[in-house]
């Protein structure tokens, strides 16, 4: 079966046909690096990674580009409010440049711990200011801009199909709008370039229009064009990007090129917490990957949890669900480890797995097939090879797992190290107290000739 993907632009499943046979250009909107990524953000990147892996399994060479938003994302979608980076700088007392570097590294570390493959290109907005200025100049030449007191704006009224991606009710939006537009002519118009004005900014550049900084949407248009061309295969992001960010990327592109930048638009549904409606970076109320690790969870248990829901379905996070995912992953790992090597994948199962994945990335059903293989009665080595093949798409790292060797939460590792020091120094009471601390954190510790081995207590 060919790979079928649900295209938000056309609101239907479409067979994936690339522009260049055997290749797939994939652009993913990256994080705004003013704070840590939360597990909702990470769900969106797990979806992107699944897509990339399934494309590869279908034989496509994937050119994956992810941007880093380190300037221009304002605290309100209406182009009002403050740049999130400058706000993050005030919150932390560090420079906007420092926090961008710090949270970018933290984000990349989270992705690695989740088994998410690094893209071919990480594109930072602040490294591509000339490209953004050139793109805005092109939009201006085509007659789609106007100037206000605080910036250069895109005139959405000039595009007949503005908002088509989100099926926005433009007439209703425009008619019903009564609040102050801050100098904009229409509520859907958006900033391409904002002037620094009297504000003291850490990140600002000269431009043909005056000193300032780019709007949020132009970075993705400029960088996707730079790395993937004016028309590429697939553009992805979280579902919140549909009505504003991607609508505006499409508008910018249509103004310059007469068509949207990508041929397929895929969007991941949100994760939310069981006891709240949302999870928001901007109000600080969120769980990050380290919050899970601190409670003794393996990052890949979160990956397993995410794979258990289709990417277009809302996922409600709860500790109970994560616990169940960790238990299931532990069983799967142990079963896989115990199987003998040396087989080849079972052709029938492989086909069924590929069919599920090709049905718009149906990971829950592919995961169910992994369990079915373990009960299939096929020779052990064939089971193992089949699961290994599937894991190319699931990314659970089954082949790398060895019993007893897994990353410990940092706090537990510190206790294990301190206990080892106490033992070497023959402070036995301290060593016993530290063991109690390790157990209270949910881990057991054994002393082996190779050093202490700590493992999660049976759950
Ligand atoms: P941001 O750092 O806010 O620019 O968001 C990074 C990515 O995470 C974007 O693709 C968003 O669509 C996505 N995202 C934000 N919140 C959630 C959530 N609760 N669940 C899933 N994805 C999200
Ligand atoms: Zn984007």
């Amino acid at each position: 079966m060919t790979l079928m993907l649900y295209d938000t632009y056309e609101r239907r499943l479409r067979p994936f046909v690339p522009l260049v046979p055997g290749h797939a250009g994939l652009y993913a909107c990256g994080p705004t690096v003013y704070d840590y990524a939360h597990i909702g953000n990470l769900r969106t990147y797990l979806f992107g990674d699944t897509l990339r892996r399934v494309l590869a399994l279908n034989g496509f060479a994937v050119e994956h580009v992810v941007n880093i938003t380190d300037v221009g994302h304002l605290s309100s979608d209406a182009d009002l409010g403050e740049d999130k980076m400058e706000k993050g700088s005030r919150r932390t007392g560090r420079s906007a440049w420092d926090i961008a570097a710090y949270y970018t590294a933290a984000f990349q570390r989270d992705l690695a711990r989740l088994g998410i493959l690094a893209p071919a290109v990480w594109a930072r907005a602040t490294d591509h200011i000339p490209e953004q200025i050139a793109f805005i100049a092109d939009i201006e030449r085509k007659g789609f801009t106007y100037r206000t007191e605080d910036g250069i704006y895109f005139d959405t009224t000039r595009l007949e199909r503005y908002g088509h991606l989100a099926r926005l009710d433009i007439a209703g939006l425009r008619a019903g709008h009564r609040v102050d537009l801050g100098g904009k002519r229409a509520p859907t118009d958006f900033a391409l370039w904002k002037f620094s004005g009297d504000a003291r900014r850490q990140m600002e550049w000269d431009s043909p229009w005056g000193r300032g900084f780019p709007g949020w949407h132009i970075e993705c248009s400029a960088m996707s064009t730079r790395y993937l061309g004016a028309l590429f295969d697939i553009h992805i992001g979280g579902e919140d990007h549909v009505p504003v960010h991607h609508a505006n990327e499409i508008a910018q592109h249509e103004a310059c090129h007469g068509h949207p930048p990508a041929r397929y638009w895929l969007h991941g549904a949100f994760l939310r917490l069981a006891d709240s409606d949302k999870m928001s970076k901007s109000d600080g109320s969120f769980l990050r990957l380290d919050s899970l690790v601190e409670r003794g969870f393996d990052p890949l248990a979160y990956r397993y949890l995410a794979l258990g829901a289709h990417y277009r379905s809302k996922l409600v996070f709860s500790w109970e669900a994560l616990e169940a995912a960790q238990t299931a992953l532990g069983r799967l790992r142990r079963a896989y480890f115990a199987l003998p090597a040396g087989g080849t994948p079972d052709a029938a199962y492989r086909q069924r797995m590929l069919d599920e994945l090709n049905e718009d990335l149906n990971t829950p059903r592919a995961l169910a097939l992994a369990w079915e293989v373990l009960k299939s009665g096929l020779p052990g080595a064939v089971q193992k090879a089949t699961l290994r093949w599937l894991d190319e798409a699931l990314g659970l790292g089954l082949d790398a797992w060895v019993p007893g060797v897994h990353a410990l939460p940092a706090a537990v590792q510190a206790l294990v190290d301190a206990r080892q020091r106490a033992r070497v120094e023959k402070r036995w009471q301290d060593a016993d107290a530290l063991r109690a601390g390790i157990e209270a954190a949910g881990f057991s510790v054994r002393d082996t000739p190779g050093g202490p081995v700590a493992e999660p207590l049976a759950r």
Side-chain angles (χ1 to χ4, degrees):
M1 190 180 101
T2 48
L3 173 57
M4 302 293 291
L5 298 173
Y6 186 84
D7 178 13
T8 312
Y9 197 85
E10 294 200 1
R11 297 282 195 280
R12 65 181 176 97
L13 281 170
R14 293 173 56 206
F16 177 64
V17 181
L19 283 163
V20 178
H23 288 261
L26 173 63
Y27 186 90
C29 289
T32 312
V33 285
Y34 66 106
D35 205 335
Y36 292 104
H38 58 56
I39 56 172
N41 302 133
L42 295 172
R43 180 184 188 207
T44 291
Y45 298 100
L46 282 166
F47 142 60
D49 191 53
T50 302
L51 173 60
R52 170 182 169 168
R53 287 167 176 272
V54 170
L55 284 163
L57 218 54
N58 279 278
F60 296 106
V62 184
E63 196 168 353
H64 186 190
V65 179
V66 182
N67 73 293
I68 297 284
T69 299
D70 56 358
V71 69
H73 194 167
L74 302 187
S75 43
S76 132
D77 278 346
D79 289 312
L80 302 169
E82 207 180 348
D83 187 324
K84 293 186 180 191
M85 298 305 300
E86 306 265 344
K87 204 168 163 185
S89 163
R90 246 205 345 267
R91 193 191 75 235
T92 56
R94 291 151 65 190
S95 82
W97 295 97
D98 276 359
I99 63 167
Y102 177 83
Y103 290 119
T104 300
F107 174 70
Q108 291 170 334
R109 184 167 165 266
D110 283 351
L111 298 197
R113 286 190 291 172
L114 286 167
I116 294 175
L117 303 170
V121 178
W122 284 112
R124 254 196 303 270
T126 53
D127 286 341
H128 298 80
I129 300 296
E131 287 91 337
Q132 296 178 67
I133 290 175
F135 210 109
I136 299 169
D138 201 11
I139 297 173
E140 184 179 48
R141 269 194 300 279
K142 304 266 164 46
F144 285 84
T145 64
Y146 61 89
R147 189 183 182 108
T148 74
E149 236 167 57
D150 79 348
I152 303 296
Y153 281 80
F154 189 101
D155 183 355
T156 55
T157 60
R158 297 224 29 226
L159 269 186
E160 208 180 302
R161 276 165 74 83
Y162 177 78
H164 177 75
L165 177 74
R167 309 295 191 265
L168 289 180
D169 170 16
I170 301 297
L173 269 176
R174 287 176 187 153
H177 208 86
R178 288 190 184 84
V179 302
D180 176 22
L181 295 179
K184 290 198 297 188
R185 294 181 191 160
T188 47
D189 292 355
F190 57 90
L192 296 165
W193 188 263
K194 296 272 276 191
F195 303 136
S196 297
D198 298 333
R200 282 185 49 207
R201 285 188 57 86
Q202 299 174 48
M203 294 173 150
E204 55 179 3
W205 294 264
D206 286 325
S207 81
W209 312 280
R211 200 159 177 75
F213 59 102
W216 173 32
H217 319 296
I218 197 71
E219 66 174 83
C220 288
S221 293
M223 297 190 291
S224 65
T225 306
R226 152 104 194 249
Y227 293 104
L228 297 171
L231 182 64
F232 59 92
D233 295 301
I234 311 176
H235 196 314
I236 61 175
E239 62 184 352
D240 60 323
H241 284 169
V242 176
V244 181
H245 182 52
H246 289 174
N248 293 348
E249 270 188 56
I250 290 172
Q252 292 168 157
H253 223 80
E254 283 188 334
C256 285
H257 299 285
H259 57 73
R263 298 177 64 235
Y264 297 81
W265 293 82
L266 273 62
H267 294 96
F270 263 31
L271 174 95
R272 65 177 188 82
L273 300 181
D275 49 6
S276 91
D277 298 342
K278 62 172 197 151
M279 185 161 22
S280 164
K281 259 202 248 188
S282 45
D283 67 8
S285 65
F286 62 82
L287 287 174
R288 55 191 175 100
L289 193 59
D290 276 327
S291 324
L292 314 191
V293 172
E294 275 156 19
R295 289 221 197 174
F297 287 97
D298 185 324
L300 291 173
Y302 179 59
R303 184 172 185 122
Y304 189 100
L305 178 72
L307 289 169
H310 188 263
Y311 80 90
R312 282 194 291 120
S313 308
K314 296 246 182 284
L315 176 57
V316 178
F317 175 88
S318 68
W319 292 105
E320 295 71 32
L322 185 62
E323 186 95 34
Q326 175 133 310
T327 304
L329 176 62
R331 281 202 199 112
L332 185 60
R333 283 168 159 168
R334 283 190 295 277
Y336 180 87
F337 185 78
L339 292 168
T344 49
D346 177 73
Y349 267 111
R350 203 169 67 168
Q351 191 56 53
R352 285 177 64 193
M353 288 164 167
L354 188 62
D355 286 350
E356 297 297 6
L357 293 168
N358 281 354
E359 186 68 42
D360 197 30
L361 316 181
N362 200 327
T363 53
R365 288 221 296 265
L367 204 50
L369 283 175
W371 292 101
E372 206 182 302
V373 166
L374 288 169
K375 290 187 221 125
S376 64
L378 286 167
V382 173
Q383 290 186 25
K384 188 169 199 137
T386 310
L387 294 179
R388 178 189 294 164
W389 181 86
L390 177 64
D391 203 31
E392 291 292 317
L394 300 184
L396 291 170
L398 292 181
D399 226 28
W401 186 81
V402 188
V405 181
H406 31 236
L408 289 177
V412 176
Q413 185 65 55
L415 291 173
V416 171
D417 294 344
R419 175 177 170 275
Q420 184 61 4
R421 272 196 305 280
R423 278 168 51 80
V424 170
E425 293 162 11
K426 301 193 181 346
R427 290 183 282 110
W428 304 115
Q429 271 190 344
D430 289 350
D432 286 346
L434 287 160
R435 173 194 286 277
I438 294 165
E439 287 173 357
F443 289 78
S444 67
V445 60
R446 294 180 280 120
D447 296 299
T448 73
V453 173
E455 284 177 306
L457 290 166
R459 290 174 181 277

